[in-house]
Amino acid sequence: MPRAAWPCHTGGVLRLSLTLLVCAASLARADYMDHFVVREDVGPRKAPYLGDAKLVLIPIEVAGFPPIDEAALQRFFSPDDPNGFVRYYETASLGRYRPRVTVTPKVTYASCPLPAAQFPTCEIARGDISAFTAGMDMMREAVKKADEAGFDFAPMDVNGRKGVADGWVDGVMLLTNVPFGGIAFPFAYFNRGDNLNGGTSGPLVVDGLKVGHLAIAGENDQFVMVHEFGHLLGLTDLYDESGKYDGLYLSVMGTWGYDPNIPLPDAETRFRLRWANWHQVQGRQRVTIKPVETSGEVYRLGTGDEYFLIENRGPGGSFDKSLPERGLAVFHVDRTVKLGGVEGNFVERILDCVNCDAYHPYIRLLQADGLFEIERNGRFGRGDLFGTGSFLRPDARGIPFSKMNEVNSTNLYAGTASGLTLDDVRVLDDGSIEVTLIAPETGQCEERLCAEGEACAPVTCGEQTKAPSCAATGGLWPVLGLLFLEKRFRRREQRVFARA
Ligand SMILES: [Zn+2]
């Protein structure tokens, strides 16, 4: 798959052009970080996201920078840390995705591995043109050095698109102590150099296995790695890279300051990863929704590309600890917003991010208090989740939602009433939440996420007291934007926190 993208290629690696992107558009459907517009490209474009997986973590320590605390690293990436990487992904997936991380021997450098003339402090400034190739060389060499230090990559492939070993390492992460920022990088897509196996271009090949993409975190930041690894699984960024507002709250891929309070995935991300217990609403239903961290329950109102997802979020578990209260998180999803599924489209999503428009993003968190503080560049807080007595109903005026028409409703972005309703919310003492949900009486039960396997179909559709009716059981700049994907976000987060 990666090879097919290059007939349009005209020069060195830096010569990736919009021409390439246009040429690539005619190729097979596969893309990196596309939130599962394509699901069949696990291996070349995505890490496996269901079942057991063997992940590799390579610590890279450069002398003169704060040393890596290897014991702390081992703990955070072991299943024993209740607040760590492994337990995070197991909790978020309801145990459907079970990563185990092997930390390789530390790769060490006596001095910065980047060319000293260009990077005197080993810090890469955002948008630095010369950093692209230097950064790729550093990634390649880190994998090579881990291999040469005796680490055997061969056992690190137990999963793939069909749930069995597929010739691709299940996931590779690089954690360094230099100010590298955080990135997830589709190395195979851009590589025009050595593949470590006697060839050039495409994925790296070590111990007979391919490595197509890498998650990288700098400054010893293990929390950044939790987010970066989400990209390897197929997820795109859900914060607002343009800085107009914070982007999506309540999401590991959204606006999170990489503090120890890791947010669970938003309902759409969970749903797409097949980590949800998906309940499709049909007709009028009074339901009890249990906390998502233990139940995985996501209620879907509506079908097609535009719909609403509802889940029960709150503090109490190992994650989501920063939430101020428990309530229903209601997300308005529009899959037509900048998602493509065409090879190379991920670059366009970096230029023009899917959640950059506060009033019409891919995923919008509705706020029960109707103050629209998130859209107005404020913050998520108390009163935003749907708690006891709250509701969300159609707006008969039919006016599209915008800055000029800040009205909470279940209307679609076009302004048309969807006929969907969320009413009479009641938060119970045990943390579960009762709500009345209304959707069309028919035609809601046929959609599937995939042809076969876990969570491809709704667990229930329609009335749950009876037997479920369908419970079947461009140019150079984009590249540079990619290279320093997370850095700007972090700076902005610091600003936000300083203001708080
Ligand atoms: Zn990211």
Side-chain angles (χ1 to χ4, degrees):
M1 212 65 86
R3 312 301 319 123
W6 290 105
C8 312
H9 182 71
T10 53
V13 66
L14 288 177
R15 196 144 332 188
L16 180 82
S17 65
L18 286 174
T19 313
L20 165 66
L21 299 176
V22 171
C23 290
S26 62
L27 298 165
R29 282 169 64 81
D31 201 12
Y32 178 65
M33 338 192 287
D34 65 355
H35 250 81
F36 295 96
V37 172
V38 180
R39 196 170 278 290
E40 292 73 35
D41 54 355
V42 169
R45 286 290 175 267
K46 295 177 176 73
Y49 54 89
L50 292 169
D52 295 306
K54 298 273 191 199
L55 313 183
V56 182
L57 177 79
I58 305 176
I60 306 169
E61 187 174 279
V62 180
F65 294 89
I68 291 173
D69 182 342
E70 286 186 90
L73 197 63
Q74 288 280 5
R75 175 163 171 77
F76 185 77
F77 286 91
S78 89
D80 301 329
D81 184 347
N83 307 303
F85 180 96
V86 170
R87 290 288 289 279
Y88 175 79
Y89 276 106
E90 289 190 340
T91 302
S93 70
L94 294 181
R96 291 173 192 170
Y97 175 61
R98 299 173 298 275
R100 289 296 178 269
V101 183
T102 305
V103 180
T104 73
K106 195 163 62 180
V107 169
T108 58
Y109 290 92
S111 62
C112 178
L114 299 169
Q118 290 163 289
F119 307 96
T121 61
C122 209
E123 183 162 5
I124 299 175
R126 185 183 173 83
D128 187 337
I129 293 172
S130 53
F132 186 66
T133 22
M136 287 188 73
D137 289 344
M138 184 172 156
M139 297 173 208
R140 181 187 295 107
E141 191 174 63
V143 173
K144 183 184 179 190
K145 281 188 161 219
D147 190 34
E148 288 173 351
F151 183 77
D152 186 8
F153 285 83
M156 309 309 289
D157 171 27
V158 297
N159 202 338
R161 185 168 75 83
K162 295 179 174 161
V164 294
D166 62 350
W168 297 84
V169 175
D170 293 341
V172 179
M173 300 177 273
L174 310 181
L175 188 100
T176 173
N177 65 336
V178 299
F180 200 85
I183 66 169
F185 194 79
F187 190 93
Y189 185 82
F190 291 113
N191 183 28
R192 303 302 296 158
D194 185 5
N195 74 350
L196 300 183
N197 192 39
T200 52
S201 74
L204 297 172
V205 180
V206 278
D207 299 322
L209 294 180
K210 288 173 280 193
V211 177
H213 44 300
L214 302 154
I216 307 173
E219 299 173 272
N220 289 330
D221 198 328
Q222 60 205 15
F223 296 111
V224 167
M225 192 66 88
V226 176
H227 169 99
E228 299 305 336
F229 189 76
H231 289 308
L232 299 199
L233 295 175
L235 309 176
T236 194
D237 278 311
L238 298 171
Y239 55 82
D240 173 22
E241 174 73 359
S242 75
K244 293 192 291 289
Y245 78 119
D246 284 348
L248 184 65
Y249 279 92
L250 304 187
S251 177
V252 66
M253 303 312 292
T255 180
W256 163 43
Y258 307 126
D259 60 73
N261 296 322
I262 312 175
L264 290 167
D266 58 277
E268 164 72 357
T269 294
R270 180 188 291 271
F271 172 58
R272 292 288 157 185
L273 279 162
R274 297 163 60 189
W275 294 352
N277 280 322
W278 163 22
H279 297 270
Q280 184 72 37
V281 180
Q282 178 167 274
R284 182 188 188 94
Q285 297 179 248
R286 181 76 181 165
V287 300
T288 302
I289 305 179
K290 294 188 283 298
V292 76
E293 61 269 28
T294 49
S295 74
E297 288 181 345
V298 170
Y299 278 76
R300 184 166 179 249
L301 281 165
T303 59
D305 284 330
E306 189 175 351
Y307 48 86
F308 293 80
L309 294 177
I310 299 159
E311 62 182 0
N312 174 340
R313 297 284 290 268
S318 291
F319 308 101
D320 269 358
K321 282 186 290 199
S322 63
L323 270 62
E325 60 195 343
R326 186 164 288 283
L328 294 177
V330 180
F331 300 91
H332 187 172
V333 179
D334 184 354
R335 297 272 290 175
T336 67
V337 175
K338 299 169 193 167
L339 292 180
V342 173
E343 182 86 29
N345 255 11
F346 71 89
V347 179
E348 294 176 26
R349 283 193 295 280
I350 288 158
L351 277 178
D352 186 15
C353 69
V354 299
N355 259 50
C356 277
D357 180 351
Y359 289 87
H360 191 168
Y362 161 33
I363 307 172
R364 189 167 75 88
L365 179 69
L366 278 72
Q367 302 129 72
D369 61 15
L371 298 176
F372 302 94
E373 288 162 311
I374 293 176
E375 289 82 354
R376 298 173 185 176
N377 197 22
R379 305 195 66 182
F380 171 83
R382 198 170 281 276
D384 287 338
L385 293 174
F386 284 70
T388 297
S390 62
F391 57 85
L392 187 68
R393 298 169 186 158
D395 176 3
R397 298 174 309 136
I399 301 171
F401 178 66
S402 73
K403 197 175 182 61
M404 307 304 291
N405 180 44
E406 289 178 330
V407 174
N408 258 348
S409 79
T410 56
N411 287 17
L412 302 178
Y413 282 111
T416 47
S418 62
L420 306 168
T421 294
L422 180 156
D423 223 336
D424 193 13
V425 177
R426 188 172 307 186
V427 181
L428 307 179
D429 289 342
D430 68 357
S432 56
I433 302 176
E434 285 182 3
V435 58
T436 298
L437 301 174
I438 303 173
E441 295 284 345
T442 57
Q444 305 299 296
C445 299
E446 282 68 44
E447 288 189 344
R448 297 291 178 270
L449 273 178
C450 34
E452 55 180 348
E454 196 157 36
C456 285
V459 177
T460 65
C461 183
E463 183 57 56
Q464 287 174 55
T465 51
K466 300 183 290 199
S469 56
C470 69
T473 35
L476 182 56
W477 293 107
V479 172
L480 296 168
L482 172 72
L483 187 56
F484 305 109
L485 191 56
E486 320 296 352
K487 211 165 181 176
R488 206 168 142 192
F489 169 58
R490 302 196 66 202
R491 210 177 293 135
R492 192 162 55 78
E493 278 302 310
Q494 284 159 7
R495 170 178 68 76
V496 169
F497 289 143
R499 193 176 65 199

